[in-house]
Amino acid sequence: MVFVLGTVGNLLAFEKLIVRGDAAASAANIVAHPSLFRLGIASWLVVVVADAVVAWSLYVFFERVDKQLSLLAAWFRLVFVGIFAYSFVSYFSVLETLSGASYLAAFDAKQLQGRAMQGLNAHDYAMHVSFVFFGLHVATVGYLMLRSGHMPKVIAVLLLLAGVGYQIDSFGNVLSAAYASSQLGFVIFVAVPAVLSEASLMLWLLFKAPGGTPDNP
């Protein structure tokens, strides 16, 4: 659900409607397709609920390796879930800004477009903060896989690399305006490693992971 709905929300909704750096085009797209924008928000709200369940389930799965470290990994993911869920409040403010409500008549079109872009950017800023914690979660899960001695080391290494990539991207956006203005860093440090590592982990957990109890795996 996380993998599929996250992709749906991004590719079928937000990527089609939001034009980075162009307030007028983004506002026009959202006004023309408000239901699609709302669908994107709804899909991601389901994702964050599923993410909370994933935090619990991975804790249960990895506690046989190291209970305390598994708990730490779960907390990292839950902090990510809280911040990421809150980031969508700014998207509701975008819808309100572009709703055409009578009290908004005090602003001209360019002002409303600028306020809407501020809301879109605020979501991105919160996302960068949340990914610091998600990267720590991913790296901790990768380390737990290495510690296990019987889980795939290739996936573990990919998770560790992805965890580092999240940190590079998040702090790159904080520390460098040039980095923040380019999508290339996100693709290199987050998108590619995340797809490879998280998809591999998902498939392994679904089809290859051992079941049973810690005493009888």
Side-chain angles (χ1 to χ4, degrees), residues 5 14 36-47 88 92:
L5 290 178
F14 300 141
L36 185 59
F37 192 73
R38 290 179 181 275
L39 177 63
I41 296 173
S43 68
W44 273 105
L45 291 180
V46 175
V47 166
F88 286 96
F92 286 108

Side-chain angles (χ1 to χ4, degrees), residues 93-94 96-116 118:
S93 74
V94 171
E96 183 71 13
T97 298
L98 301 176
S99 66
S102 58
Y103 72 88
L104 295 170
F107 303 96
D108 62 32
K110 288 187 177 181
Q111 288 175 322
L112 290 174
Q113 292 165 3
R115 288 172 63 88
Q118 281 185 320

Side-chain angles (χ1 to χ4, degrees), residues 24 27 34 36 63 77 99 102 119 123 129 133 149 172 189 211:
L36 185 59
E63 67 174 340
R77 189 157 190 149
S99 66
S102 58
H123 166 81
V129 174
F133 295 94
F189 295 117

Side-chain angles (χ1 to χ4, degrees), residues 4 6 117:
V4 173
M117 182 58 73

Side-chain angles (χ1 to χ4, degrees), residues 61 203-211 217:
F61 183 79
L203 293 172
W204 181 78
L205 288 169
L206 285 172
F207 300 112
K208 294 292 185 179

